[in-house]
Amino acid sequence: MDNTRLADLLFPDVVQTPEELEEIYPARVLPEGAKVTRFAPSPTGFVHFGGLFPAMVGERLAHQSGGVFYLRIEDTDAKREVPGAAQALVRTLARYGVRFDEGVTLDGERGDYGPYKQSMRVGIYRVYAKFLVRKGLAYPCFSTEEEIEELRRFDKKEELKNTDWTQAEARRRAEQKEAREITFEEAKEHVEKGEPFVLRIRSAENSERKVRVTDLVRGNLELPENDEDFVLLKSDGVPTYHFAHAVDDHLMGTTHVVRGEEWLPSLSKHLQLFAYLGFKPPKYMHIAQIMKLDEKGGKKKLSKRDMGANLDDYSRMGYPAQSVCEYVMTLLNSNYEEWRSQNPDKPYTEFPFSVKKMSVSGCLFDFDKLEDVSRNVLSKMRAEEVYSLTLEWARENDPAFGEILAGNRDYACAILAIGRGGKKPRKDYARLSEVKDYMSFFYDELFEFRDGPDDRFSKEEIRKCLSDFLENYDEHADSAAWFEGVKRISAQNCFCPDVKVYKENPKAYKGHVGDVSSFIRLALTGRLNSPDLYTVLQILGKERALARVKRYIDAL
Ligand code: GLU
């Protein structure tokens, strides 16, 4: 058959050639070893937690090597597309510090290899589609969309029942063979009637042949050569993932394709396409799926319905993006935690990320571990940073608390600064949603009594100690002098000022200085556990502190 005539019949409007496109998208000029990677999500309005893995790997590989990392939006499946989802996606990823050099942005796109939205590239795919038809490597198939869908449904049913696979496969081959033999005249007749067609690849004759490929995570693989005439262009002219992948990653100069392992079974299709199109294939890395433990302790895929599958869940739950990224790094590279303990203060971007240290078998998602990681991350932040993250979280999730925080930044930062900065910083919260609970007693409008007075002591005794405290309070005393004051009050009230001495002869005293501190602590904070009392007093300020103690004495 005259393939050129067929190509012109099917794509009369396509005048550009692949060579012309190659000129528009020349090979990138980059330093030796620089990697070009991309994140290529479909805008379904849902960013899966697992999506962060290829995104972060792609980002690390590119930026660690002085290369380019770009965002391509794979929006060819209009049925699945949610309006505004691409922008929401860009926003979510930005929150996670996934920094793109090129691609779709909040208000358009940037970079020389665009458009970066597949729906805007239909003209480009058609150039290569025409090229493949001209070469005899693709052919039209005029079954209607419904017929194709019917076939697919039938295949599925067949698969499910698992009956007579061989027969189903034989039928598929027979149908494929028949479809392939379409003549120019037949095609012309269909086209003249205005019938739509899908474009299929003319695959290898048999799958006995093997193709060898090295996956950078999985090692050397041997795959059966593709013998399925899969669809390249759907009947509306929109490409399938396979076709768009080959064309886009070639033209955009991707050197490393980092994607989920669910694409591994399609790899031989992709290699065939690259070969047919005369493109050098990129290097591939198929990343293991995220698993979780099910009720019976078995591993199962983290599915869309699971808590924690949606990346936005984490912000709602109050995990700072930094914690989530830190956690993902521990899952991605087996030596990350060791590096972290040796480099506690460096950003994760300084970790020498290595593909070789990636797990092939799948990472297990574990909330307890995330909690642990997040507690550490939050304990190492500056108070101002925790403040702005908490404020941001509260504005979205607890506006009343947001108002309170925004009302006095310095006050909030002073509270959040307690126990920070040293070698062993306090680790009071793992989530931003827990910060309110931690700091609430500092605010009169949130103050409440969590604990009651110790019933080993009479109200009279407590009242007396607290009244002495009020009388002797010196707001200018330093921490040591302050504590001396508490000891004095203790001694005056028959509480031993030295705990050790008390323990030698407890009967000689009503209690010890620690008990007196607890009276003060409860009056000031409503709790028996709180950060260092002297610091709490300094932050509360004389007026508020003394008013609380007075009120407490009156209510006893
Ligand atoms: N759009 C595909 C997905 O979301 C991208 C896979 C790839 O990175 O090539 O799974």
Side-chain angles (χ1 to χ4, degrees):
M1 148 147 56
D2 183 346
N3 292 320
T4 304
R5 271 172 75 210
L6 182 63
D8 286 337
L9 173 76
L10 299 175
F11 302 99
D13 54 320
V14 175
V15 288
Q16 240 176 350
T17 62
E19 291 73 27
E20 284 164 346
L21 282 174
E22 299 287 333
E23 267 172 43
I24 301 174
Y25 300 96
R28 292 172 185 266
V29 184
L30 286 168
E32 176 82 19
K35 300 181 171 78
V36 180
T37 59
R38 83 295 193 276
F39 184 47
S42 305
T44 56
F46 181 94
V47 189
H48 196 287
F49 170 70
L52 206 49
F53 287 64
M56 282 177 66
V57 173
E59 190 277 338
R60 284 296 71 221
L61 292 183
H63 291 150
Q64 227 169 242
S65 64
V68 176
F69 179 51
Y70 69 89
L71 174 66
R72 183 171 70 225
I73 297 290
E74 308 217 319
D75 57 347
T76 52
D77 191 349
K79 284 185 219 109
R80 286 173 65 207
E81 182 158 2
V82 175
Q87 270 62 37
L89 201 141
V90 172
R91 237 176 265 124
T92 301
L93 291 171
R95 189 177 259 201
Y96 285 86
V98 180
R99 190 166 52 83
F100 296 103
D101 307 301
E102 284 177 18
V104 173
T105 61
L106 272 184
D107 52 4
E109 57 175 53
R110 70 162 173 271
D112 296 334
Y113 289 81
Y116 294 90
K117 255 188 172 183
Q118 288 184 332
S119 56
M120 311 293 285
R121 301 173 61 81
V122 170
I124 297 176
Y125 306 123
R126 287 167 62 80
V127 171
Y128 287 99
K130 186 168 186 174
F131 165 82
L132 288 178
V133 175
R134 214 170 44 233
K135 289 262 178 189
L137 296 171
Y139 64 90
C141 182
F142 286 86
S143 319
T144 63
E145 195 101 24
E146 291 82 60
E147 279 166 335
I148 294 166
E149 185 49 36
E150 185 51 37
L151 219 89
R152 210 179 297 143
R153 259 206 305 275
F154 179 76
D155 273 357
K156 271 224 180 88
K157 259 193 253 152
E158 203 76 5
E159 233 178 86
L160 279 180
K161 278 193 277 163
N162 208 8
T163 52
D164 220 346
W165 235 132
T166 3
Q167 237 183 49
E169 177 60 11
R171 191 167 43 246
R172 182 184 73 75
R173 278 170 187 270
E175 275 162 8
Q176 184 166 297
K177 194 157 190 292
E178 193 187 316
R180 280 174 167 214
E181 276 157 16
I182 185 166
T183 63
F184 176 78
E185 279 67 33
E186 283 163 349
K188 188 161 179 269
E189 219 179 292
H190 287 296
V191 169
E192 276 167 1
K193 276 197 233 147
E195 286 174 19
F197 64 91
V198 301
L199 192 73
R200 287 178 179 276
I201 194 165
R202 192 179 295 277
S203 64
E205 288 298 321
N206 71 70
S207 59
E208 307 291 294
R209 280 204 308 253
K210 303 278 186 235
V211 276
R212 288 204 179 83
V213 57
T214 304
D215 180 286
L216 295 187
V217 179
R218 280 145 210 279
N220 296 334
L221 305 172
E222 211 180 61
L223 311 166
E225 190 172 6
N226 172 57
D227 71 340
E228 183 190 325
D229 289 1
F230 62 90
V231 174
L232 300 174
L233 288 183
K234 294 178 257 183
S235 58
D236 52 4
V238 172
T240 54
Y241 168 78
H242 311 305
F243 191 41
H245 154 52
V247 171
D248 291 346
D249 280 315
H250 167 71
L251 288 182
M252 295 179 176
T254 309
T255 60
H256 290 67
V257 167
V258 184
R259 63 185 179 188
E261 67 182 353
E262 65 275 20
W263 292 110
L264 198 56
S266 311
L267 183 54
S268 66
K269 289 191 173 83
H270 304 155
L271 292 172
Q272 187 168 65
L273 253 175
F274 274 88
Y276 280 15
L277 289 161
F279 300 158
K280 176 173 179 263
K283 295 208 163 60
Y284 284 97
M285 297 179 50
H286 290 90
I287 300 201
Q289 304 234 352
I290 310 302
M291 315 294 274
K292 64 167 239 173
L293 287 182
D294 64 16
E295 302 71 37
K296 291 189 191 119
K299 281 187 185 178
K300 76 176 196 55
K301 234 170 66 181
L302 184 67
S303 90
K304 214 170 156 169
R305 282 175 307 278
D306 287 322
M307 185 55 168
N310 187 344
L311 204 45
D312 285 333
D313 287 348
Y314 294 85
S315 322
R316 266 191 295 278
M317 287 188 276
Y319 290 106
Q322 225 173 303
S323 301
V324 177
C325 292
E326 180 79 11
Y327 174 55
V328 169
M329 288 304 287
T330 66
L331 292 177
L332 279 177
N333 255 197
S334 50
N335 55 335
Y336 183 74
E337 285 184 85
E338 195 187 325
W339 176 85
R340 174 49 84 212
S341 64
Q342 285 156 8
N343 301 279
D345 301 317
K346 289 192 176 158
Y348 78 82
T349 42
E350 284 185 31
F351 169 71
F353 182 82
S354 155
V355 175
K356 290 196 187 79
K357 300 273 190 221
M358 288 182 70
S359 149
V360 183
S361 57
C363 322
L364 198 58
F365 179 79
D366 177 2
F367 260 119
D368 292 341
K369 177 76 187 169
L370 168 62
E371 193 90 355
D372 230 44
V373 167
S374 189
R375 202 174 286 280
N376 275 325
V377 168
L378 275 164
S379 76
K380 280 196 236 130
M381 283 180 186
R382 286 179 315 112
E384 289 71 21
E385 202 178 343
V386 180
Y387 173 77
S388 24
L389 289 174
T390 310
L391 181 60
E392 192 187 338
W393 178 87
R395 281 196 160 132
E396 278 172 33
N397 300 282
D398 185 351
F401 181 47
E403 290 268 299
I404 292 177
L405 282 177
N408 192 342
R409 181 178 191 274
D410 293 346
Y411 186 60
C413 287
I415 301 168
L416 293 167
I418 300 174
R420 261 174 212 287
K423 270 218 152 32
K424 281 206 158 167
R426 294 184 64 95
K427 296 181 180 177
D428 296 288
Y429 31 81
R431 277 175 275 144
L432 300 166
S433 51
E434 294 168 341
V435 175
K436 178 183 180 181
D437 186 74
Y438 167 72
M439 68 195 299
S440 61
F441 69 83
F442 281 100
Y443 296 91
D444 289 338
E445 53 273 66
L446 300 176
F447 182 90
E448 59 180 14
F449 282 99
R450 297 261 168 98
D451 298 305
D454 192 333
D455 54 17
R456 286 180 300 145
F457 307 104
S458 74
K459 289 188 178 169
E460 211 33 63
E461 280 161 349
I462 299 175
R463 207 177 283 138
K464 174 68 176 45
C465 288
L466 290 176
S467 303
D468 287 356
F469 170 75
L470 279 183
E471 257 167 50
N472 293 295
Y473 186 71
D474 172 9
E475 63 176 319
H476 303 297
D478 65 13
S479 147
W482 180 82
F483 195 56
E484 280 309 314
V486 180
K487 280 184 178 173
R488 245 190 334 270
I489 295 165
S490 304
Q492 280 166 22
N493 287 281
C494 221
F495 284 78
C496 185
D498 185 321
V499 182
K500 253 206 220 135
V501 175
Y502 168 81
K503 280 192 179 152
E504 280 162 19
N505 190 7
K507 293 223 169 69
Y509 306 94
K510 287 184 188 165
H512 58 74
V513 62
D515 298 316
V516 176
S517 296
S518 294
F519 304 156
I520 304 171
R521 189 183 306 275
L522 192 60
L524 288 175
T525 69
R527 320 170 177 197
L528 290 172
N529 279 314
S530 81
D532 172 59
L533 255 192
Y534 176 76
T535 316
V536 168
L537 272 164
Q538 295 298 303
I539 297 172
L540 283 173
K542 184 177 176 187
E543 211 176 309
R544 189 176 349 222
L546 298 194
R548 281 193 188 178
V549 177
K550 265 190 210 122
R551 218 180 318 133
Y552 185 71
I553 293 176
D554 293 344
L556 263 175

